[in-house]
Amino acid sequence: MATGSNLSFVLNKPNDVTFEEKPVPAIRSPKHVLVAINYTGICGSDVHYWVHGAIGHFVVKEPMVLGHESAGTVVEVGSDVKTLRVGDRVALEPGYPCRHCGNCLSGHYNLCPDMAFAATPPYDGTLTGYWTAPADFCYKLPPAVSLQEGALIEPLAVGVHIVRQANVTPGQSVVIMGAGPVGLLCAAVARAFGATKVVQVDIVQSKLDFAREFAATHTYISQRVSPEENARNIIELADLGAGADVVIDASGAEPSIQASLHVVRVGGTYVQGGMGKSDITFPIMALCLKEVTAKGSFRYGSGDYKLAIELVAAGLVDVKKLVNGVVPFGQAEDAFKKVKEGQVIKILIAGPNEKDVVVTEAKEEPKAEVAAEEPKEEAVAEAPRAEEAPKAEEAPKVEEPKVEEPKAEEAPKTEEAPKVEEPKVEEPKVETAEAPKVEAGVEEPKPAAEEPKAEEAPKEATKEFTCC
């Protein structure tokens, strides 16, 4: 039974949040459970709603509780629940489909048009004391997986879905555009799936330094040159021969999407996991002539959460490395600010009833030179469905084998790239939805190949958001 507080972190309107005590929700179905929330991560979509009050046609019209990356402890079970019992620790899958439409019945419930997704208007999220959910969308955590790791299963499931969409197999080479949280997790999943070369691309050196320690075998800092030239540089750096078997865009940035189609080999696979501008200039000729298999990826689907938990339990993906800090519930707004400013990769907020919180200071990411102006957040197809194509929340992202390869630092530095008469202009970054710069409303970057006009001052890069 629930005996604690149901204090909730509520968004009233853009940049206006409050803490409100709400009634403890009642179990309304014999197949549901009541969960006390222990830890919640912050997604780019949460930050985007906080700053802008909307994502596409999903507009916050009434106060809404934020958050959807959570883990908690079961405190009450419905009369028909056989798989869980009071005291079980669970990772929460925060979207509930109708179970009856064609997409649901075909196994693609992530594409359900009637999906009720946490912290997507008009539904409240999980930054609260207690949460009710269908028992089959609450995944029991094995002893080897902590509650804090459980709060990171949601973004990992996004990565798992993306990698599964790409059908990554042992021995393949994979290039991932963007080193945000989802891009990093895609790299880890790809390694777990047996990819022997995993190249992480970004415009921020500090992100790439972390990526090399986390899962990537190679890193490349995108230059202020044409997409074709960046593609040639990546292929040469990682000795990819005719190109990469698989290319995943986890940034949503136009220049990285353009370069992706030039990096992938003939007959290879391209998966769009990042969300950015609704319309971009796309190298359709490269797609056609190479007969590339192209797919979208939206949130996560059947089996993705289960596999994500197994990858963590087996030690194949170390999600703890992504966590920069843990804060008490009362510091939730400060945590959102750190994510918005790109100070952290991931920060966890303890639930309002969490007693044994080991508070750790969120360590700021080192300020590094960037190769171009970068979006503050990461956009990964996990957000509320608007005009975006269905996503993967995140496909099977897992991988392992280590290969000694040239270090990212050997890649040319961005500032030295353009040898032109015209003034230096920062270009948009190739990023992933959510590394040091984590999800939130974002401005869109300009194509890398675009030549700046001498008389114009450089424009700010647009931000991307990691939506769930």
Side-chain angles (χ1 to χ4, degrees), residues 59-119:
V59 181
V60 178
K61 298 177 181 177
E62 300 291 337
M64 179 184 79
V65 178
L66 292 167
H68 61 266
E69 299 181 0
S70 297
T73 304
V74 176
V75 295
E76 187 178 344
V77 299
S79 57
D80 289 348
V81 175
K82 309 300 182 189
T83 56
L84 295 172
R85 59 185 179 182
V86 172
D88 283 345
R89 301 170 312 120
V90 295
L92 302 175
E93 183 170 348
Y96 312 120
C98 75
R99 302 175 186 260
H100 306 297
C101 69
N103 289 327
C104 287
L105 295 177
S106 68
H108 302 94
Y109 68 79
N110 57 312
L111 306 182
C112 176
D114 296 319
M115 176 73 76
F117 201 86

Side-chain angles (χ1 to χ4, degrees), residues 206-376:
S206 61
K207 288 185 177 184
L208 294 177
D209 292 341
F210 179 83
R212 189 62 178 268
E213 294 174 7
F214 187 63
T217 60
H218 301 70
T219 58
Y220 174 74
I221 189 159
S222 183
Q223 305 297 303
R224 189 153 18 98
V225 295
S226 70
E228 293 87 345
E229 187 170 345
N230 269 321
R232 285 193 295 271
N233 292 342
I234 293 168
I235 290 171
E236 181 179 356
L237 169 73
D239 192 19
L240 298 177
D245 297 308
V246 172
V247 179
I248 293 168
D249 176 73
S251 72
E254 185 169 336
S256 74
I257 294 170
Q258 293 168 337
S260 295
L261 273 296
H262 297 294
V263 169
V264 68
R265 67 168 173 79
V266 170
T269 300
Y270 172 71
V271 176
Q272 185 62 47
M275 287 182 176
K277 292 188 292 187
S278 297
D279 298 294
I280 63 167
T281 299
F282 185 82
I284 190 171
M285 189 65 74
L287 177 76
C288 294
L289 295 181
K290 291 183 175 183
E291 210 168 78
V292 172
T293 297
K295 297 181 181 180
S297 188
F298 186 61
R299 290 178 180 152
Y300 22 75
S302 181
D304 293 332
Y305 251 72
K306 183 175 181 293
L307 179 55
I309 291 172
E310 290 173 351
L311 290 173
V312 174
L316 294 174
V317 178
D318 187 359
V319 293
K320 297 188 301 296
K321 289 183 176 180
L322 301 181
V323 179
N324 297 101
V326 180
V327 300
F329 198 75
Q331 294 179 21
E333 186 171 9
D334 290 337
F336 267 66
K337 290 176 182 176
K338 285 182 168 63
V339 173
K340 178 177 178 287
E341 293 163 4
Q343 296 180 23
V344 295
I345 298 175
K346 276 293 180 185
I347 188 168
L348 300 180
I349 300 170
N353 299 306
E354 188 66 16
K355 304 301 180 188
D356 305 316
V357 184
V358 179
V359 178
T360 59
E361 285 293 316
K363 299 167 286 206
E364 277 198 35
E365 290 297 304
K367 302 286 181 192
E369 288 191 28
V370 297
E373 292 183 336
E374 57 175 308
K376 296 270 181 176

